[in-house]
Amino acid sequence: MTTTWHRFCVGFYYYLLFIGVTSALGKYLLPQDVHLWLAALLGGSYAQHLPLLAEHSTDNVHRSVGALYLILGMLQFMPAIRKHHPKLHRWCGRLFLILSVLAGMTGVLLSLIVSFGGSPEAIPAVVFATAAVVCAIRAYLFARARRFREHREWMIRTFAFGLGVSVIRLWFWAFVFMAPGMPHTISLVAAFWLGWISSLLGAEYWIRHTRRPLSAHLAASVGFVELAQQGAPADGLASRARR
């Protein structure tokens, strides 16, 4: 992976994080009129759905859990925290996996009880929420088994579902502005499928192009376990991984 392309991918990753966090918290950070106006500008007739969502406490739980999930996910993939603060990394990871399950469950519940796209909206929500839970469980089991390369890869896949919500918005906006004649309910359902599928494909691309040789990863894993168990300083971790 070239340096320029790598920087673009990282920049796009933070852009998706920005969309996800601001979308989750915009309801609370912006005046209601501004929030509804912005939603109508970007989401068309979907904005008419927001007052109905606001009546359900599940929406508030989903938004707050989702925002915290994205922030913790960002921290999980920061090398400095993983290397120099292994205990913080582990506890944030456990909370992140719990939040990923809660975010998926509340998202499915919203798609069932307050659905803008009708029953077709619930199908991808259930499919991908179930897949996210499976990925989270596998990530946890690999961490318990000290198989940190597999753990990293399944954590990336788990986080891809959260970032996929931001990608869904990009697809939906594309449909709204480039195919204005398409009913917004159809646009949303199509965006659900395309958003999560493209996010998962992006995650697989990143995994394959950033995967270290197994020998180097095992060396780093040994150093990480020693740090976690002994509380030793992390200065020599990088040099161990290169041996």
Side-chain angles (χ1 to χ4, degrees):
M1 185 183 296
T2 63
T3 302
T4 301
W5 180 242
H6 184 275
R7 288 176 179 174
F8 172 80
C9 291
V10 172
F12 188 63
Y13 158 74
Y14 280 108
Y15 175 62
L16 293 178
L17 279 173
F18 174 78
I19 292 176
V21 174
T22 54
S23 297
L25 299 181
K27 171 183 175 181
Y28 311 108
L29 299 177
L30 297 174
Q32 184 180 20
D33 292 342
V34 175
H35 178 243
L36 292 177
W37 171 80
L38 188 61
L41 177 65
L42 297 175
S45 60
Y46 177 74
Q48 303 172 9
H49 192 61
L50 293 180
L52 182 61
L53 277 174
E55 297 177 2
H56 292 267
S57 58
T58 306
D59 181 56
N60 294 321
V61 174
H62 183 64
R63 287 174 178 271
S64 56
V65 166
L68 183 57
Y69 160 89
L70 290 172
I71 294 171
L72 284 177
M74 176 185 65
L75 295 176
Q76 278 300 102
F77 294 103
M78 288 184 172
I81 293 179
R82 186 170 62 250
K83 291 181 180 180
H84 301 296
H85 304 283
K87 290 184 178 180
L88 176 62
H89 175 77
R90 289 202 310 276
W91 281 105
C92 285
R94 291 165 182 161
L95 182 56
F96 167 80
L97 292 175
I98 293 172
L99 291 174
S100 68
V101 174
L102 290 176
M105 291 173 59
T106 53
V108 169
L109 186 59
L110 284 173
S111 69
L112 292 174
I113 63 177
V114 192
S115 177
F116 176 70
S119 57
E121 177 187 330
I123 296 174
V126 171
V127 169
F128 290 107
T130 303
V133 171
V134 171
C135 289
I137 292 172
R138 289 184 67 85
Y140 174 76
L141 293 177
F142 278 123
R144 294 284 296 177
R146 299 292 189 261
R147 294 170 59 179
F148 291 111
R149 185 168 84 162
E150 292 93 338
H151 167 69
R152 170 186 175 270
E153 294 176 359
W154 284 99
M155 286 291 281
I156 291 174
R157 294 181 182 108
T158 303
F159 198 37
F161 288 99
L163 292 178
V165 176
S166 299
V167 183
I168 287 170
R169 284 174 166 79
L170 295 181
W171 278 107
F172 182 66
W173 296 337
F175 287 131
V176 168
F177 290 107
M178 298 180 65
M182 181 183 294
H184 291 167
T185 52
I186 297 177
S187 298
L188 182 66
V189 174
F192 265 48
W193 287 103
L194 291 172
W196 272 314
I197 290 174
S198 55
S199 181
L200 290 170
L201 289 175
E204 291 301 321
Y205 173 85
W206 184 261
I207 288 170
R208 292 178 181 275
H209 286 78
T210 60
R211 181 180 285 157
R212 290 189 294 175
L214 184 59
S215 58
H217 199 92
L218 286 174
S221 298
V222 170
F224 180 82
V225 172
E226 291 177 357
L227 282 174
Q229 293 179 344
Q230 302 174 8
D235 298 338
L237 182 58
S239 61
R240 293 181 197 177
R242 289 192 293 269
R243 291 175 186 173

